[in-house]
Amino acid sequence: MTVSSRLRALAEGLHEFYVGPYRRTFARAQRDEDDLFRMLVMSEMLGVPNPASYYTAELLPVLYDGFHDWHRRMGMERSPLEDYRCC
């Protein structure tokens, strides 16, 4: 083994040592951040005035794929949008 491969293995081991126990926490934080982002982008469609709606309108097609999972996590049994039914 070369020195660079040993250093790389050491770096990967240290990364796993420090990040491993918090993997679930990081995933939950990422999901919460994604939910907040989705709410901000879709706020105009939900009836909440959004001053940034001009910029977020082009992001809507990207968010439609995960919309069903999002509204279920938010506790909404059915889609809150009148013109977009996902379930």
Side-chain angles (χ1 to χ4, degrees):
M1 288 182 84
T2 65
V3 174
S4 65
S5 64
R6 287 182 183 176
L7 286 175
R8 189 175 310 122
L10 177 65
E12 290 173 3
L14 287 173
H15 177 76
E16 185 62 30
F17 177 77
Y18 286 110
V19 172
Y22 304 104
R23 199 176 313 269
R24 183 177 292 152
T25 304
F26 290 148
R28 184 177 295 127
Q30 179 67 44
R31 190 186 72 212
D32 291 346
E33 186 177 311
D34 290 344
D35 288 344
L36 176 63
F37 175 72
R38 185 176 310 277
M39 183 189 66
L40 287 173
V41 171
M42 298 190 137
S43 65
E44 185 74 24
M45 293 175 66
L46 295 172
V48 178
N50 182 0
S53 62
Y54 175 76
Y55 301 105
T56 57
E58 53 192 45
L59 295 173
L60 286 173
V62 176
L63 298 177
Y64 281 142
D65 290 338
F67 183 76
H68 177 71
D69 296 332
W70 173 75
H71 81 75
R72 297 294 292 197
R73 270 197 313 275
M74 294 297 111
M76 295 178 248
E77 192 171 313
R78 300 268 183 229
S79 171
L81 305 177
E82 296 170 0
D83 55 343
Y84 183 71
R85 298 283 181 215
C86 62
C87 50

